[in-house]
Amino acid sequence: MASFKVVNLYDGSIQMAVPASFIDASDLRPVPDNQEVYVDANGTTSIVVELLDRVNGFATDEQSMKYHIEDLAGGSGDTIRLYQTQRVTMHKLHAAIPAYTMIATAHPVAETASSPACGPFTGIYMIMVRLVDQNCDVIVTINVPHDQRLACEVKMEEGRLGQKMEEGATVRDAVVASFWVKNFGLFGQ
């Protein structure tokens, strides 16, 4: 996934880079108006961009991010495991705009004590951009499914990401470097 292309989101109001092999999922199926979805034409990884109401009432932005990931991924009933959250600077946005990244995994409900040590899961790289004045949290998730064979390559607790999660980290880094709000009018301002 070394080659990237810049795509226009929300009628060109937002731009960001995605891997060159990714295609717009709205060309394949309906996508909700608050989402932009890109899928790997050669694999199973996807990128979802969502415009959500800004979450308030938490003591920290990190807690808001945890709320979003549990709401987005936890709605399926999957078990969510959080590994790393850090503040980042989106290269094409003003440094004062709060932004964070998180690494998490979603494990199917069917995972039980009798499941194999490396059962299937989806690795999630999440980026949250907090547009305070627009009352919006922009959530970008890079979803990296792992079957049982691939799951055995990954030991998150030990910092061993495996090839697919490393590729996902490259995508995350490209989004952080390229994400740009060209038109704040998108948010009604």
Side-chain angles (χ1 to χ4, degrees):
M1 276 197 242
S3 178
F4 287 84
K5 62 185 177 185
V6 174
V7 295
N8 288 309
L9 308 174
Y10 304 102
D11 296 323
S13 294
I14 295 175
Q15 282 187 336
M16 72 177 205
V18 300
S21 65
F22 279 45
I23 58 175
D24 186 342
S26 68
D27 293 338
L28 307 173
R29 61 177 171 79
V31 172
D33 289 343
N34 72 318
Q35 291 183 355
E36 296 278 352
V37 180
Y38 282 79
V39 295
D40 187 350
N42 304 315
T44 57
T45 299
S46 65
I47 301 170
V48 180
V49 181
E50 294 191 72
L51 305 179
L52 301 173
D53 289 335
R54 186 172 186 271
V55 175
N56 296 307
F58 292 99
T60 66
D61 287 340
E62 290 87 349
Q63 289 173 332
S64 297
M65 188 171 205
K66 182 179 177 190
Y67 169 84
H68 279 304
I69 197 149
E70 288 174 350
D71 185 50
L72 295 171
S76 65
D78 290 352
T79 302
I80 306 301
R81 296 181 187 151
L82 308 176
Y83 293 97
Q84 180 184 44
T85 303
Q86 66 184 28
R87 177 132 189 199
V88 295
T89 299
M90 304 299 280
H91 299 194
K92 292 191 171 189
L93 295 178
H94 191 281
I97 295 175
Y100 298 84
T101 64
M102 174 185 284
I103 301 173
T105 56
H107 301 262
V109 166
E111 184 180 287
T112 64
S114 63
S115 294
C118 7
F121 70 92
T122 298
I124 304 166
Y125 286 98
M126 182 175 176
I127 301 164
M128 178 178 72
V129 180
R130 305 214 79 191
L131 300 175
V132 177
D133 293 341
Q134 291 73 30
N135 199 34
C136 181
D137 287 335
V138 180
I139 304 296
V140 180
T141 55
I142 297 113
N143 305 293
V144 187
H146 286 69
D147 60 19
Q148 187 169 335
R149 178 186 57 82
L150 291 171
C152 290
E153 296 178 6
V154 179
K155 297 285 184 236
M156 297 296 282
E157 299 84 1
E158 299 170 12
R160 197 171 86 203
L161 300 178
Q163 180 181 345
K164 284 189 64 133
M165 288 299 289
E166 291 286 351
E167 291 170 356
T170 301
V171 174
R172 177 207 53 208
D173 295 345
V175 170
V176 168
S178 65
F179 184 90
W180 179 37
V181 179
K182 290 174 46 179
N183 177 12
F184 281 90
L186 171 66
F187 307 99
Q189 301 199 342

